[in-house]
Each structure stands twice: as C-alpha cells, then as structure tokens.
Amino acid sequence: LADPAMRPHVACLGDLFPRRRGQNVAPEQLTRALAACHPTNGKLLRKRVNKGVLQEGDSLVSNVCFGFDIPLAFDKSVTIAALVFKDPVVLNAAMDAMGQSAGWLGKKMDRRLRRGGQNATQATGKSSIFFIPEKAGRDGQPHLHAHLVIPNLTSFEEDGRKRHCAAHFRRIARSAMEAQQRANRQLSRTLKKAGYAVELVDGVCRLPSVPRTLCAELSPVSARLKLENESGHRRRSTKAAVRFRENRYLKTRPAKVLQPLAHWQTSWEQSIGAD
C-alpha cells in the first residue's frame, strides 16, 4: 500500500461484504478478515474460532487455516509492456482481467457441514477476496502478478437469518487454473479491441512486439530452472520429490524486497538500457 503506483488497484472483492466491494483496503482490514472478523468494525463474525496449536520444531504454531492465497500472473511480455515500457493500457487491462477472474473464482466458495457423523459441502458463493497486486519477484525481476487472499469465512441463510461460518476451499482450489486461463482470455480480448497484436499460445496471452530475448533476459528464475533441467537429471514428479523441491526452495529463496515501482523501473532500465 506504500507504493503509489499499485495502491489504486488494491481492493476488496466478492459478495461477503458487498458495501466494500471494489473499494481500497487497509492492512488492518485484511488482518481482521483473516481473524474471522468484520473488516470495518472488527466484530467477530463466527461463533466458534479454532484456537488449536501444534508443535513445529521447538515452537508452538497455530493449526488454523486462516485463508488461502491464490496467485494470478501473466506472460513476461505483458509484464515488460506494462511495467518496464510503462504502458498504462496494458497495465489497466491486466488488472481488470485479474480482478474479473478473482470475482468469478470467489463464487466457487462452499461451506462444510458436519451433521450426524457425516461430512458434506454446500455451495454458498459468498466470499471476501483481497486483491493485492505486485510488480516484482523475489529476484528483483519484473513480475506482474496478484495475490488473491481469501479469508476462511463465508455466510449462508438459515431460518431467515444470515450466519457466518468457516469456508471450504476445495472447489476454489480446483478452479484456480481455470481462473488463470480466464484472466488470459480476458486480457487477450481487451488488448485486441485496443488495437494490440496479441498471441494466445496454449492459453497464455503474449505480446509479440516484446522480443523474447528481452523476456529471457528479465527471467532469472526461469533461466536457473532451465540450467537445472539441462544438467542431465530428469525431474521426478512424485509427491515426495515435489515436496522436497518445495522445502529446498523455501530454505534458499531470497527475501522479498518491497520497493516502489519507480525504484524497480530505474533498476530495470539500467540493466537493459533505457533505449
């Protein structure tokens, strides 16, 4: 929120708090929602909140699912056009596409029912989505993406009254890839209407006007993974192998550096040449 270039795009979406839909949000509002409270007045919305903990190493940590963080992102050519070339049309189109896809995803919200020893799910379609865009990756490369932070909270009607309860994310998690594809299709349609040359390759929206060599130059993470794949070792895709790579990445990944977009743009121009 400290970045003036990204601040106008941060918003609360979804049907759980309709009065706040589309409005900018403050950090304390997100904190309240993740604690199952109303983002504006802080009122506790769920009757029961799990306060359980579990042992993790030498410390006790909460075993509560406070919410889900689902990312949306675009091809590097879109990122470069929007952030490095500073094209406001591409930037706004990308934000709108991600926002519309987030709204669609939020309608997949369910709740879990536990009655008579049986578990079931019931669709509610009510969710709160905190749309938080970012412009750089952990390696300092341009990376236009957004985090859809969805608190573990939904609502339903019972006996003519509105009640709040914990959410069930299975349908949302299964629909996350479709949300990404919808964002790419929406961006492609918008940019074509605006007169841009667009390619939709395997469901990914690309701008052919941005050289692929430049995309590769500003993709250090992809280059590092490519070198690992070319070493002659075949990457295993078993659950254990994937979990091992995830744990290794979490231990070695660089710390996130939060800088305003103007600062990053200066750095990127210096690395590729302003011309």
Side-chain angles (χ1 to χ4, degrees):
L1 289 175
D3 188 347
M6 294 290 109
R7 188 185 306 128
H9 302 287
V10 180
C12 180
L13 308 174
D15 295 329
L16 192 58
F17 306 112
R19 293 185 179 181
R20 294 218 52 85
R21 187 186 301 126
Q23 297 186 21
N24 288 359
V25 297
E28 61 268 16
Q29 292 171 337
L30 173 58
T31 302
R32 291 169 180 168
L34 290 173
C37 298
H38 195 286
T40 302
N41 55 35
K43 178 183 177 181
L44 183 64
L45 297 176
R46 280 163 46 188
K47 290 184 178 180
R48 296 186 299 274
V49 178
N50 187 353
K51 296 183 179 180
V53 296
L54 54 86
Q55 189 78 29
E56 191 172 280
D58 297 329
S59 59
L60 289 176
V61 298
S62 173
N63 67 348
V64 178
C65 173
F66 294 98
F68 265 54
D69 177 6
I70 297 179
L72 293 178
F74 289 114
D75 183 72
K76 185 66 71 173
S77 61
V78 175
T79 289
I80 292 175
L83 302 182
V84 182
F85 295 166
K86 307 175 185 178
D87 189 328
V89 176
V90 177
L91 177 61
N92 291 330
M95 293 296 182
D96 290 342
M98 289 189 291
Q100 291 186 30
S101 188
W104 173 84
L105 186 64
K107 296 184 182 298
K108 303 293 182 181
M109 180 63 80
D110 300 327
R111 71 181 180 114
R112 175 172 284 166
L113 303 177
R114 295 184 179 90
R115 291 178 179 175
Q118 299 294 322
N119 286 336
T121 57
Q122 184 179 69
T124 65
K126 304 289 186 180
S127 65
S128 177
I129 306 167
F130 288 81
F131 181 79
I132 305 176
E134 292 193 8
K135 66 278 183 182
R138 290 182 177 270
D139 288 75
Q141 78 278 20
H143 181 37
L144 179 61
H145 63 287
H147 293 270
L148 312 182
V149 182
I150 309 177
N152 187 1
L153 187 67
T154 188
S155 66
F156 62 98
E157 296 287 338
E158 187 176 69
D159 299 329
R161 295 180 57 187
K162 181 180 180 181
R163 301 179 183 274
H164 293 85
C165 64
H168 187 43
F169 291 93
R170 177 177 294 177
R171 198 155 55 111
I172 286 182
R174 289 179 174 177
S175 303
M177 183 59 70
E178 173 63 18
Q180 177 66 74
Q181 294 171 352
R182 290 174 69 95
N184 273 285
R185 292 195 296 265
Q186 175 64 36
L187 178 62
S188 176
R189 290 193 296 266
T190 303
L191 293 181
K192 284 181 179 179
K193 290 181 180 179
Y196 286 75
V198 176
E199 296 176 345
L200 199 59
V201 182
D202 296 330
V204 178
C205 179
R206 293 180 178 176
L207 296 176
S209 58
V210 180
R212 301 308 296 174
T213 54
L214 181 58
C215 294
E217 182 179 348
L218 294 175
S219 303
V221 176
S222 298
R224 187 166 63 247
L225 293 175
K226 185 176 181 181
L227 289 176
E228 291 180 1
N229 291 336
E230 291 177 348
S231 62
H233 300 289
R234 184 175 180 180
R235 291 167 62 92
R236 301 180 62 196
S237 58
T238 62
K239 289 185 178 180
V242 171
R243 179 61 60 86
F244 174 79
R245 288 197 294 268
E246 288 177 348
N247 291 337
R248 183 178 63 179
Y249 169 73
L250 291 174
K251 292 178 181 179
T252 60
R253 66 177 180 176
K256 182 176 290 188
V257 178
L258 300 179
Q259 296 284 0
L261 178 58
H263 175 274
W264 286 120
Q265 287 174 333
T266 301
S267 175
W268 297 330
E269 289 176 354
Q270 292 174 350
S271 64
I272 65 174
D275 293 339

